[in-house]
Amino acid sequence: EPEFAVDLIAASRWGGTLEAAATALAADRAAQAQLLPELTRLMETILLADLRAAVEPLMARIQEVGSLTPDLGLLLAALPALVNVLRYGSARAVDTQALSSVVDGLVARACIALPYGLRGVADDAAAGLLGQIIAADQAVRLLQNETHAAAWFDALEAGATSDLSHPLLAGRASRILTEQGRWDGERAARQLALRCSPAIPPLVTALWLEGFLQGSGALLAHSDALWSIVNGWLRAQPDHVFTELLPLLRRTVATFSSPERRALGERAAQAGGTPPSCATAAAVDPVRARRVLPILHTLFAALPAKEHIHVE
């Protein structure tokens, strides 16, 4: 295409060969980048392009920016890409020893910052941080480093048990600890019961449940203790509160798979049962009940409403 000639002329300022130009462009982007996630994504691209000459200066830049990054979100966002870089670098026989030390430092700093970074977070920011925590958790486990894993789970537990943590993030931290076996079912049930207590505002509890259950309802479907607590909390809510919570609860359940939703629906039907007959009789208004009899007669072609009909 004609514009390719113009593009080629413009790109020639970076070097006389494809490799030289790509390496120079990567070095320029590294110098211009100010955020750690930008640099780690660039490192992934460089390794995929096999630009070995650009690896060392970019590692130095990552180490420089990483040591100056105080933001928890940026630290967490950088970890998945850095872990992938370590894996790619090993596969491509690239010396990533310097980068490994950077990862060690970032994991340590993220674990220190995590319990405090979950506090005083707005709802919109918490939603963004939630995804970063999930991705960082997967990255830490991919490292297969027992020291890093222990520090990470300790940080999550500190965040999960703090009353100052945003409920959405505290719920996700509790979910990770439960899934990874750091908390047994009894410990998770105690934390859930605490979050579902009457002293906690219903909206706060709903946000915690969203963090705990988002993406999978397996824990709720297969744990009698957790199901009993959540079911009891929902049944205890007044009608107007339940109506207010319904959009948030539906958003959470929408993230479950179809089999999980089906299993939860079946369990709810079995657990709900029918109210005692005496309570039902006391709640019936005979005058209002008679108003539906003509409609039932029309639907079922039964006897006229005035015949063989008796309402207690």
Side-chain angles (χ1 to χ4, degrees), residues 160-162 174 183 186-196 208:
T161 55
S162 174
S174 301
W183 284 2
E186 182 179 352
R187 177 70 179 85
R190 289 203 305 270
Q191 186 66 20
L192 178 59
L194 180 64
R195 296 290 180 169
C196 292
W208 190 93

Side-chain angles (χ1 to χ4, degrees), residues 72-73 76 110-122 125-126 129-130 132-133 152 155-174 195:
L72 173 63
L76 296 178
C111 291
I112 294 173
L114 182 65
Y116 306 98
L118 305 187
R119 303 176 181 179
V121 182
L129 196 55
L130 176 66
Q132 294 170 339
I133 290 175
W152 175 249
L156 287 174
E157 184 161 6
T161 55
S162 174
D163 293 336
L164 300 177
S165 298
H166 191 283
L168 179 71
L169 304 176
R172 174 50 60 171
S174 301
R195 296 290 180 169

Side-chain angles (χ1 to χ4, degrees), residues 26-286:
D28 182 74
R29 288 183 178 176
Q32 298 298 325
Q34 300 297 320
L35 298 179
L36 192 56
E38 295 179 55
L39 292 167
T40 55
R41 288 193 295 268
L42 181 59
M43 177 62 83
E44 283 187 290
T45 303
I46 284 176
L47 288 178
L48 287 173
D50 202 18
L51 298 175
R52 295 171 184 261
V55 171
E56 186 174 347
L58 183 53
M59 282 187 181
R61 179 65 176 156
I62 289 175
Q63 190 165 14
E64 176 188 355
V65 175
S67 62
L68 300 175
T69 300
D71 185 83
L72 173 63
L74 294 177
L75 292 172
L76 296 178
L79 281 177
L82 285 177
V83 171
N84 285 334
V85 165
L86 288 176
R87 297 170 67 190
Y88 290 145
S90 300
R92 294 175 177 270
V94 176
D95 183 11
T96 55
Q97 185 62 39
L99 190 58
S100 180
S101 64
V102 174
V103 172
D104 293 342
L106 288 180
V107 171
R109 295 180 61 198
C111 291
I112 294 173
L114 182 65
Y116 306 98
L118 305 187
R119 303 176 181 179
V121 182
D123 289 345
D124 291 342
L129 196 55
L130 176 66
Q132 294 170 339
I133 290 175
I134 294 172
D137 172 66
Q138 296 172 346
V140 170
R141 287 187 277 119
L142 280 176
L143 286 173
Q144 298 182 348
N145 183 306
E146 293 183 2
T147 301
H148 289 335
W152 175 249
F153 289 136
D154 287 344
L156 287 174
E157 184 161 6
T161 55
S162 174
D163 293 336
L164 300 177
S165 298
H166 191 283
L168 179 71
L169 304 176
R172 174 50 60 171
S174 301
R175 170 61 176 260
I176 293 172
L177 292 167
T178 303
E179 283 188 329
Q180 298 306 314
R182 294 281 295 190
W183 284 2
D184 57 18
E186 182 179 352
R187 177 70 179 85
R190 289 203 305 270
Q191 186 66 20
L192 178 59
L194 180 64
R195 296 290 180 169
C196 292
S197 66
I200 305 296
L203 183 58
V204 173
T205 300
L207 285 170
W208 190 93
L209 286 173
E210 181 181 10
F212 187 76
L213 297 174
Q214 187 183 73
S216 174
L219 286 176
L220 191 59
H222 300 297
S223 172
D224 293 337
L226 297 182
W227 170 266
S228 177
I229 294 170
V230 174
N231 187 48
W233 172 74
L234 281 173
R235 291 170 65 88
Q237 301 306 314
D239 291 347
H240 70 282
V241 174
F242 180 81
T243 302
E244 181 181 355
L245 296 177
L246 191 56
L248 182 58
L249 297 173
R250 290 187 63 183
R251 186 175 70 188
T252 302
V253 175
T255 64
F256 300 166
S257 65
S258 296
E260 288 172 341
R261 292 199 298 269
R262 188 181 307 112
L264 289 172
E266 293 173 353
R267 184 161 193 172
Q270 295 173 357
T274 56
S277 58
C278 58
T280 302
V284 170
D285 182 345

